[in-house]
Amino acid sequence: MSISKPETYAQEIAIFQLRGEVGLQNLRKWLWERRESSRWTEMVGEELIREQGEVRLASKLLKMIDVGPTIKAKGSA
């Protein structure tokens, strides 16, 4: 199921606005620990590719929580 950009933007704004909530802060802490405890430097092949993807996703979610939406609202530059 595909979500349109305006809907995605609205969801990301909602996440960013709730960044002070305890549950979201716990998720942020878990993502941070997951990203930092990655041992991707010791991996090879498929395992390495999968781990890099997971770390990339964790980083993207942390950025969404800390910085705000990762896409632009319609009409903004």
Side-chain angles (χ1 to χ4, degrees):
M1 185 168 123
S2 177
I3 300 175
S4 69
K5 279 194 173 189
E7 290 171 337
T8 302
Y9 180 77
Q11 290 172 346
E12 291 183 9
I13 284 289
I15 291 168
F16 180 67
Q17 289 174 340
L18 295 173
R19 68 189 177 277
E21 296 290 324
V22 175
L24 196 56
Q25 285 301 308
N26 286 334
L27 176 62
R28 183 187 178 282
K29 180 181 173 188
W30 182 81
L31 287 168
W32 185 263
E33 289 171 358
R34 174 72 178 98
R35 188 180 75 175
E36 296 303 311
S37 68
S38 174
R39 298 181 331 180
W40 62 269
T41 55
E42 303 167 7
M43 298 177 182
V44 294
E46 290 286 324
E47 188 178 48
L48 173 63
I49 293 168
R50 184 174 43 255
E51 187 69 16
Q52 286 175 328
E54 289 180 15
V55 169
R56 188 177 301 123
L57 176 61
S59 295
K60 182 178 177 179
L61 292 172
L62 285 166
K63 181 179 176 186
M64 186 188 322
I65 293 169
D66 293 340
V67 178
T70 57
I71 62 172
K72 303 286 185 202
K74 187 175 182 178
S76 66

